[in-house]
Amino acid sequence: MKLIIAIVRPFTVEKIVTAFEEIEGFPGMTLIDSEGFGQRLLTTSYDALDPFKPNKRIEIVAADVLVDRIVAVIRANAHTGKKGDGIIAVTPVETTVMI
């Protein structure tokens, strides 16, 4: 199993979720409001006062066989072609326990 963490622009979430509906056996997801910034130069006075931009953090624990498809869906639907579209990280999960 793997944990997929994607930081994306807020307006791309609906498109991503709609695409997830096409994945058979999709395990579900958690959506978290987040703020942050990447490697960029501060270009405006507003950025100098508050460099944090709103994002959405998507977290998905998925079987290994689904990971590549889920990552591809996120990448395709979060991409706008502009700097700052986001990032996807995939990490191993040792154990999950249902509550």
Side-chain angles (χ1 to χ4, degrees):
M1 294 186 74
K2 301 281 195 262
L3 171 62
I4 302 164
I5 301 169
I7 309 297
V8 299
R9 296 178 190 266
F11 65 86
T12 64
V13 171
E14 186 175 341
K15 188 175 173 186
I16 293 167
V17 171
T18 299
F20 284 157
E21 293 172 357
E22 302 297 319
I23 299 175
E24 186 174 336
F26 182 77
M29 61 177 265
T30 299
L31 183 65
I32 303 163
D33 290 328
S34 64
E35 295 180 334
F37 62 90
Q39 297 176 340
R40 63 181 174 86
L41 297 174
L42 301 178
T43 56
T44 67
S45 60
Y46 173 78
D47 286 344
L49 296 174
D50 183 9
F52 297 100
K53 301 297 179 200
N55 298 304
K56 295 289 186 179
R57 178 178 169 135
I58 298 170
E59 294 185 358
I60 303 164
V61 176
D64 291 350
V65 298
L66 292 175
V67 171
D68 289 342
R69 177 120 189 252
I70 292 169
V71 168
V73 163
I74 295 168
R75 191 169 190 201
N77 290 283
H79 180 76
T80 67
K82 297 179 181 176
K83 187 174 175 120
D85 277 344
I87 189 167
I88 303 169
V90 179
T91 185
V93 172
E94 291 185 29
T95 306
T96 62
V97 178
M98 297 299 288
I99 300 174

